[in-house]
Amino acid sequence: MEIFILGFFALGYLILGGADIGVGMLLPYLGRTAAERRTVIAAFAPFFLGNEVWLVATAGVLAGLFPLLEGELLSGNYLAIVALLVGWIVRDMGLWLRGRMPGARWQACWDGAIVGGSWTLALAWGVIFTQILPVPIVAAGVVALLFAMHGLAFAGLRLTGELRERAVRLTGGSGEGRTYALTAVALTGLGVLAGAELDLAHSAADAGTLGLLVPVMLALIPFLVAAQAWVWWTFRARVTGPSYL
């Protein structure tokens, strides 16, 4: 059961968080003007904090249910983990600060933080996957491109008009819904393959800890899913203007 809990949170983050990371990576392509960039950011801004909860939950599950594995992953991927945290902080600073003051230079600075932070996040995940899976480091770039494609599909689902056309133009014209589903499956497969390479069965916490924490984690899952569904339902309409941040 503890393996299911870890997979649930980790895969949930890759699918949900991967979308806003991908949109941030392609912000200059999707938004050519300041107003367009605000609209593109509005497409994922209501979701990114909720998506990050899945990453925090994944880290909590690792620390509580797989303490040995947590130590191995942190020590074995120290530089990638640091890069991931730096990218995460820089990206979020850009999202919070770009609208706090007027001025083209101010907003361009924080737009750069969003883009740079998003690329750093995607590449850091790529490096982590290459450390777990038996693939060359160049595969980190492929993982980053997968995040970007997932973000394009998400942007196609959220935007309208020319902005939507730009998003779907690079995804092969197969439909943003189908592309989102395919990239979600690809990210899920990547996560499952990485999990299969880890010695999860022998790195779990002792039976007493599992008996205490597993029921708590299972009880939290319905609340997290319900909150996520509520956010998606509330912001289900396509974005037509710079309405957020």
Side-chain angles (χ1 to χ4, degrees), residues 55-132:
L55 178 58
V56 174
T58 301
V61 170
L62 271 175
L65 302 184
F66 299 91
L68 296 177
L69 179 61
E70 182 211 18
E72 292 175 4
L73 287 175
L74 290 179
S75 61
N77 302 281
Y78 178 75
L79 292 178
I81 296 293
V82 170
L84 188 150
L85 293 175
V86 170
W88 184 1
I89 292 170
V90 169
R91 194 275 301 263
D92 283 17
M93 285 178 63
L95 289 170
W96 286 115
L97 295 177
R98 72 179 307 281
R100 295 297 181 265
M101 289 181 63
R105 290 184 179 179
W106 173 270
Q107 293 185 353
C109 171
W110 295 115
D111 284 347
I114 295 170
V115 177
S118 297
W119 275 97
T120 303
L121 266 170
L123 288 169
W125 278 116
V127 171
I128 291 171
F129 278 119
T130 60
Q131 296 299 316
I132 297 173

Side-chain angles (χ1 to χ4, degrees), residues 166-191:
R166 287 178 196 158
V168 302
R169 194 173 298 149
L170 295 182
T171 58
S174 60
E176 54 266 42
R178 178 179 295 182
T179 303
Y180 185 86
L182 290 174
T183 51
V185 169
L187 287 169
T188 300
L190 187 63

Side-chain angles (χ1 to χ4, degrees), residues 151-207:
L152 280 175
F154 181 75
L157 289 170
R158 296 285 298 149
L159 297 169
T160 61
E162 175 61 24
L163 298 184
R164 175 185 169 275
E165 292 298 321
R166 287 178 196 158
V168 302
R169 194 173 298 149
L170 295 182
T171 58
S174 60
E176 54 266 42
R178 178 179 295 182
T179 303
Y180 185 86
L182 290 174
T183 51
V185 169
L187 287 169
T188 300
L190 187 63
V192 170
L193 288 174
E197 290 292 324
L198 300 173
D199 190 9
L200 295 174
H202 296 94
S203 57
D206 59 83

Side-chain angles (χ1 to χ4, degrees), residues 130 133-140:
T130 60
L133 296 168
V135 294
I137 189 67
V138 70

Side-chain angles (χ1 to χ4, degrees), residues 199-226:
D199 190 9
L200 295 174
H202 296 94
S203 57
D206 59 83
T209 302
L210 293 178
L212 179 65
L213 292 182
V214 167
V216 175
M217 296 292 183
L218 289 175
L220 289 176
I221 287 177
F223 291 101
L224 180 60
V225 172

